[in-house]
Amino acid sequence: MSAIPPTALRRLPTAFALAACLATALAAPAAMAQQKIEQQMSAEQFKNAGLTKLSDTELSNLNAWLNHTVDAETSKAAVKAKEESKHERTGFLSVGASKEPVVARLNGSFTGFNRGQTYVLDNGQEWRQEDNADLPGVRTLESPQVRITPSIIGNAWYLSVQGYNTRAKVSRVK
């Protein structure tokens, strides 16, 4: 059983804070949806919107439609936030993190692999080389395309540079 890397432990409070914010944000519209429109607006706003002309049945139908719309939009937002969060956690040691390969470009020049080197991608992610892989004789490449893929077993990730077969074991740091 492997230990949790210190970088993952530092991110746990951030993950919990994100989850709490998301839960609060999703609960607020849902709570408002249960209120009738006449409770959400001031009497003046209700009158100025022309809603005083509606019958009780029409007002009830409007409230039902608004509640359904808010519920539907809240559900869509929750699904979208979950997918975005999953993509953001790619490569991090966390439950539900995406195992999809990352294809991006390195920022700057690439002159080969070196243990401990940090590779900054154009998508904002940063990955650090964990093994002793090297690439002797590589010519300097400017912003080459890279592919970072998960291992079949475990939580290891491997970076390869377009045009080369050698892979370096990496871990995500940002």
Side-chain angles (χ1 to χ4, degrees):
M1 185 169 179
S2 63
I4 297 175
T7 53
L9 290 176
R10 285 195 299 270
R11 286 185 185 82
L12 285 177
T14 305
F16 289 127
L18 176 64
C21 288
L22 182 60
T24 303
L26 294 177
M32 284 190 70
Q34 302 309 316
Q35 291 183 341
K36 296 179 180 180
I37 193 167
E38 55 268 36
Q39 295 169 327
Q40 296 178 36
M41 302 172 87
S42 69
E44 184 178 346
Q45 289 171 324
F46 190 78
K47 180 181 174 190
N48 290 342
L51 298 176
T52 55
K53 300 173 192 169
L54 297 177
S55 70
D56 288 342
T57 303
E58 292 168 328
L59 190 56
S60 177
N61 288 337
L62 176 62
N63 279 316
W65 181 83
L66 288 172
N67 288 340
H68 172 74
T69 301
V70 169
D71 288 344
E73 292 302 315
T74 301
S75 295
K76 285 182 198 173
V79 168
K80 183 176 179 185
K82 183 176 179 182
E83 286 302 313
E84 287 175 358
S85 175
K86 187 175 182 180
H87 175 72
E88 280 300 310
R89 292 190 315 262
T90 296
F92 286 132
L93 180 62
S94 61
V95 176
S98 175
K99 291 292 235 173
E100 292 296 316
V102 176
V103 178
R105 293 201 168 274
L106 282 178
N107 285 341
S109 300
F110 175 77
T111 57
F113 292 129
N114 291 305
R115 183 183 189 103
Q117 182 172 338
T118 299
Y119 304 98
V120 180
L121 307 183
D122 62 356
N123 65 7
Q125 294 180 359
E126 293 181 17
W127 296 77
R128 182 180 314 112
Q129 184 173 332
E130 302 296 332
D131 66 3
N132 290 323
D134 65 350
L135 207 50
V138 66
R139 69 186 198 319
T140 300
L141 302 171
E142 291 300 323
S143 301
Q145 182 173 334
V146 297
R147 183 175 179 87
I148 302 173
T149 54
S151 62
I152 295 173
I153 299 173
N155 194 38
W157 290 78
Y158 293 90
L159 179 140
S160 60
V161 177
Q162 186 176 23
Y164 294 92
N165 292 329
T166 304
R167 301 183 322 158
K169 183 177 179 182
V170 293
S171 62
R172 185 162 172 198
V173 294
K174 178 180 173 194

